[in-house]
Amino acid sequence: MKESKFDEKTFRVHIGIVVSIIFCFFIFGLAIYCYWKGKVDDVNGYNSIDSSIAFIALGINILTVIFVYATYQTQRDTIKMQRKQIEDDKKDGDFNRVMDIIYRQLEHTLVRYSAIPDVKLTSEYGVTSIKVMYDNCFKTINFKNINELAELNNFGRFVSYLDVLRFLTEEFKVYYNVINSNNNLSDTDKQFFTTLFANNIEPTLIKKIDMFQQLYFVIKKSDSYKELILDSQNKMMFQNLEFDLTVVLYSLKINKIENLDLG
């Protein structure tokens, strides 16, 4: 509606300018005619009327060319505006569609996140939910206790790390595909949606996953880790943990620590 009013206003302005210039040419041509009419008689070979008409016709032809060009420019600008509006509408539609899918998926994710499983997940917490394991393991990580947690004196805690990361890996597949398969979303939009679903699962999720990779960096340099991976089952567990941590870091767009080897 606003665009139509703009085009109508622009057209009226152009028409007004053209009419004004034609009127000026007419007055100017009439002035020439009156001037030469008083100086030279038509019978002496100079026809002031024909000359004035030719002059006015020349001016009108020039104005016609200018008007056609101005009209062409206006139409081209209008087409550009319409194309941009269509693209913006498509982007808005895709943005809203992705948001709707994310919120629908979050309903399922949060149920599974807080649900008590039918089987025992860890030796430390017994039958419990992923949320409880996250609260007891990830939420407690901070810069002050990283070295203490890296001692690996509580092996069940690392099984819980694996359970949480495995859950996130499975859940994040859906969100990642929905967000990154849409070419109409900007990088800013994708970052927004990534933060949106992460914060709805756990407000501290991005921060604590980032801190966990720092903890794991310290763990891998410890003697306890080197001893544990001598056992094939422990080694496989840590390999699975590294795989899931890689997927989660990538899905949350968290930069991996430069010297952290995740296999």
Side-chain angles (χ1 to χ4, degrees), residues 105 108-109 112-113 130 161-178 197 201 240 243-249 251:
Q105 183 62 29
H108 301 286
T109 298
R112 289 189 289 269
Y113 182 59
I130 296 296
Y161 286 139
L162 176 60
D163 289 335
V164 173
L165 289 173
R166 176 54 51 86
F167 170 82
L168 295 177
T169 297
E170 293 299 321
E171 293 297 321
F172 285 179
K173 289 179 182 178
V174 177
Y175 298 102
Y176 182 84
N177 289 334
V178 169
F197 78 73
I201 296 173
N240 291 335
F243 172 80
D244 291 330
L245 178 58
T246 300
V247 173
V248 171
L249 289 173
S251 299

Side-chain angles (χ1 to χ4, degrees), residues 10-21:
T10 302
F11 180 75
R12 288 180 178 177
V13 170
H14 286 168
I15 291 296
I17 292 174
V18 170
V19 171
S20 298
I21 294 176

Side-chain angles (χ1 to χ4, degrees), residues 207-255:
K207 177 182 177 181
K208 293 303 181 179
I209 292 296
D210 191 19
M211 294 192 70
F212 175 76
Q213 73 162 328
Q214 298 177 53
L215 167 62
Y216 195 65
F217 179 73
V218 177
I219 289 172
K220 292 202 71 171
K221 295 191 298 183
S222 68
D223 293 333
S224 300
Y225 172 81
K226 295 174 183 176
E227 292 178 5
L228 279 171
I229 61 173
L230 293 176
D231 181 87
S232 59
Q233 289 186 343
N234 292 340
K235 184 176 181 179
M236 182 175 294
M237 186 203 72
F238 281 109
Q239 287 176 340
N240 291 335
L241 186 148
E242 290 177 3
F243 172 80
D244 291 330
L245 178 58
T246 300
V247 173
V248 171
L249 289 173
Y250 186 75
S251 299
L252 294 177
K253 302 185 184 301
I254 299 174
N255 294 325

